[in-house]
Amino acid sequence: MSATLSALNGFRAASRAIDKYVFLRQLQHEDAGVFYRLLVNNAMEIMPYVYTPTVGEACQTYHTLPIAQQGVYITADDKGRVGEALRSRAPPSLANDLKVAVVTDGERILGLGDLGAGGMGIAEGKILLYSVCAGIRPNQCLPVCIDVGTDNKSLLEDPMYKGLRRERLRGREYDEVVEEFMSEMRSWQPRCLVQFEDFGNTNAFRILERYRHRQPCFNDDIQGTACIALAGVLSGLRATGADLTTQRILFYGAGEAGVGIGELIAMALEKRGMSHHDAINRCYFMDSKGLVCKQRLETPQTPRHALQPHKVTFAHDVEYRPDLLSAIDAIKPTVLIGVSTIHGAFDERVVRKMAALNPRPIIMPLSNPTSKAECTFEQAVTWTDGRAVFASGSPFPAMTYRGKTLHPAQANNAYVFPALGHAAVLAGAREVSDDAFLAAAEALSAMTTEAELGAGKLFPDFDSIREVSHDLTARVCELMERDGQGVKPAGVMDWKKYVDSQFWEPEPETPSKL
């Protein structure tokens, strides 16, 4: 039996999801070659156990798991010597020409909140996808967790917790740590792309805006989620036969993910001829205080009605509604997107109301992990009498409904962010623009066949992710060159051929002599 097949059998023998995660992490440490062959050849089966949803549980229990740390911690105590810490703590196997760093501060891990230094698990999980999906060599990828403390009291009181035992840095002191890190990354690895991951709302938008024009970087929670969500909407509209310009989109949740999606949808509408004002007015948001609307700006800014700055653009001149059901009654949305991390928020009344308003409602509970999903696939199908066009953030099983097998679409960021990151690296991009995310969304939405759409598949099968990523990487490279954000390397004539030449493959297994 080959080592890879033996590892696959060992993986399948583990009963609990977290045990499968630990098995894979230990395999990565002990035999990286087998580990990567296993992931590349069995992506659809194995990815949920190194990435969402299992990585959420791994982050919650990170410091109790019997696994070897793969990434680099930079802490608030490293201030003034972050560059030295980066260089000295980088794994010995790391290449001199680092391509990608996935960086988190652990404040908002998936829908689980502040997990402090346990956030390293999300950086380690995400970085794998650059190799498995988009063909960047593993030794050119680095996960980083910036540990600035945690406000999670249970972690601070846990004797097993290995992160800084203090409340989170805020304000100027926090910004100084991040600034030193970004400056030292530019100095140490000037061509390295930085992906921001699971920063809290307070910092995510600020940090992205501060650095996106200084060096190649993006925030996957804002921009990557927006890209895959827009791709899901566009693909869903292919299934319904409707046009994006006729849609009304209601978001349940108004954090960084939701607002990022709204902004990219508005951008897509503008490309289709709408004014900016009209495009923005097709997107509505609900937060914990009710419908985001102009009335909440005009009333005294009490905690009950206050709007954070990133929501103000979407504060439309509509009547305030306190709950989701009344907002659906007023707005009559054609698309309902959940980014609230509130399990069960799309209850039977909500889903049936969407079905009453639309022949084929598009329902997208995007919150991760599965325990935070606004509804399940089975609920959406059952409560709409099989008419829902569905995509979720975490995976759900296929089901049979009235004799037909239906497949849930998973709006997995892994379809887009590894390809975009690889494109930025290959093209030597100075920055990663929103145009790149829009182009990737539109390209991905066209890749699913009519037959696949009929079965509920809004995205290509994940087992074809390397082919999908190859195509998207080349397309985004072409866009970056066209828009003057990147250039072809000397001697390169064709982006597709160049991407092919740069696409890493795991070493083939050596046949046994026995």
Side-chain angles (χ1 to χ4, degrees):
M1 182 185 296
S2 72
T4 305
L5 180 56
S6 177
L8 181 60
N9 289 338
F11 163 79
R12 288 172 174 168
S15 56
R16 298 185 306 159
I18 194 65
D19 294 332
K20 291 179 184 290
Y21 175 88
V22 169
F23 175 87
L24 292 166
R25 287 296 302 266
Q26 290 176 343
L27 179 64
Q28 181 185 14
H29 179 65
E30 295 165 6
D31 194 332
V34 171
F35 171 78
Y36 282 105
R37 278 196 300 274
L38 193 65
L39 261 67
V40 167
N41 295 329
N42 304 274
M44 182 173 261
E45 177 181 358
I46 294 178
M47 199 58 69
Y49 300 98
V50 293
Y51 183 44
T52 182
T54 309
V55 73
E57 182 180 355
C59 290
Q60 288 177 303
T61 58
Y62 189 82
H63 296 290
T64 69
L65 296 177
I67 57 176
Q69 176 188 317
Q70 297 290 321
V72 169
Y73 278 107
I74 298 298
T75 78
D77 291 341
D78 294 320
K79 185 179 176 183
R81 54 185 184 89
V82 167
E84 176 190 343
L86 267 174
R87 292 167 175 81
S88 64
R89 294 171 193 167
S93 61
L94 198 68
N96 292 329
D97 56 335
L98 187 65
K99 301 298 187 188
V100 180
V102 173
V103 181
T104 185
D105 71 352
E107 186 175 8
R108 194 203 62 84
I109 300 299
L110 300 172
L112 302 170
D114 186 349
L115 299 184
M120 176 61 82
I122 197 71
E124 291 172 332
K126 281 272 180 134
I127 204 73
L128 289 174
L129 305 187
Y130 279 98
S131 301
V132 173
C133 302
I136 299 181
R137 292 182 178 279
N139 68 346
Q140 294 178 314
C141 302
L142 180 67
V144 178
C145 181
I146 302 176
D147 183 2
V148 293
T150 179
D151 293 335
N152 186 328
K153 290 184 179 179
S154 64
L155 288 178
L156 293 174
E157 295 169 358
D158 185 348
M160 298 290 288
Y161 182 62
K162 298 174 184 176
L164 292 182
R165 293 180 178 274
R166 65 189 72 163
E167 293 183 353
R168 251 179 205 283
L169 285 184
R170 299 288 180 187
R172 181 176 57 82
E173 288 183 297
Y174 173 89
D175 288 347
E176 288 173 352
V177 172
V178 175
E179 172 64 32
E180 185 178 356
F181 170 79
M182 292 298 287
S183 175
E184 290 295 341
M185 280 296 297
R186 282 198 305 275
S187 173
W188 177 43
Q189 298 285 350
R191 291 174 56 83
C192 180
L193 171 82
V194 173
Q195 176 187 315
F196 299 118
E197 183 67 29
D198 285 352
F199 284 70
N201 288 340
T202 305
N203 295 315
F205 290 99
R206 293 189 312 108
I207 289 172
L208 177 61
E209 289 306 313
R210 179 173 298 164
Y211 295 106
R212 65 183 305 180
H213 303 301
R214 293 193 201 176
Q215 62 197 94
C217 62
F218 65 87
N219 183 303
D220 184 52
D221 307 295
I222 298 172
Q223 296 162 289
T225 301
C227 183
I228 191 63
L230 174 58
V233 170
L234 294 175
S235 189
L237 292 174
R238 287 178 57 208
T240 67
D243 189 85
L244 183 63
T245 58
T246 65
Q247 305 306 300
R248 292 179 302 281
I249 300 98
L250 177 59
F251 295 84
Y252 191 63
E256 58 194 86
V259 169
I261 300 168
E263 290 175 342
L264 196 65
I265 289 176
M267 186 176 175
L269 288 168
E270 288 183 65
K271 293 276 187 178
R272 287 160 172 77
M274 274 194 181
S275 69
H276 178 70
H277 176 270
D278 288 346
I280 289 291
N281 273 273
R282 292 302 179 92
C283 297
Y284 299 83
F285 284 83
M286 293 282 298
D287 64 12
S288 60
K289 302 174 182 68
L291 185 64
V292 173
C293 59
K294 189 176 180 181
Q295 182 181 345
R296 286 173 60 182
L297 292 173
E298 294 172 344
T299 55
Q301 289 289 290
T302 64
R304 180 181 175 185
H305 292 97
L307 286 178
Q308 293 170 286
H310 66 268
K311 303 176 188 179
V312 171
T313 299
F314 296 97
H316 305 315
D317 191 8
V318 293
E319 186 177 347
Y320 171 76
R321 301 286 174 164
D323 58 76
L324 180 56
L325 203 59
S326 64
I328 292 174
D329 270 329
I331 295 165
K332 296 178 171 51
T334 56
V335 181
L336 180 62
I337 298 177
V339 281
S340 67
T341 71
I342 299 176
H343 177 71
F346 296 173
D347 62 19
E348 186 170 356
R349 294 180 306 157
V350 165
V351 175
R352 288 197 181 279
K353 174 64 71 173
M354 286 294 295
L357 291 171
N358 302 284
R360 298 213 58 196
I362 297 177
I363 298 175
M364 300 175 67
L366 298 183
S367 293
N368 280 314
T370 310
S371 62
K372 302 291 184 179
E374 287 80 7
C375 70
T376 68
F377 179 51
E378 183 177 4
Q379 289 169 338
V381 170
T382 302
W383 294 337
T384 62
D385 300 318
R387 293 184 284 119
V389 177
F390 179 92
S392 58
S394 286
F396 287 102
M399 64 176 288
T400 300
Y401 184 79
R402 295 180 180 174
K404 183 179 180 180
T405 300
L406 300 177
H407 298 269
Q410 185 187 358
N412 192 331
N413 291 23
Y415 279 109
V416 291
F417 77 79
L420 279 155
H422 201 178
V425 169
L426 294 179
R430 293 191 297 272
E431 63 179 88
V432 184
S433 70
D434 290 331
D435 282 321
F437 288 94
L438 178 58
E442 292 181 332
L444 180 62
S445 71
M447 290 183 182
T448 312
T449 67
E450 296 298 327
E452 288 171 329
L453 287 175
K457 297 180 179 181
L458 303 186
F459 307 104
D461 279 342
F462 204 78
D463 277 337
S464 66
I465 187 61
R466 286 174 75 83
E467 291 79 10
V468 171
S469 295
H470 187 290
D471 189 16
L472 287 181
T473 299
R475 292 192 191 202
V476 174
C477 283
E478 291 168 358
L479 172 83
M480 288 175 168
E481 181 190 18
R482 186 195 72 198
D483 290 353
Q485 296 171 358
V487 296
K488 276 196 181 88
V492 172
M493 301 298 293
D494 182 277
W495 275 116
K496 286 188 176 181
K497 291 181 180 179
Y498 182 62
V499 170
D500 188 57
S501 72
Q502 299 297 306
F503 221 76
W504 168 82
E505 296 279 353
E507 290 292 328
E509 188 157 12
T510 304
S512 173
K513 296 180 181 180
L514 298 179

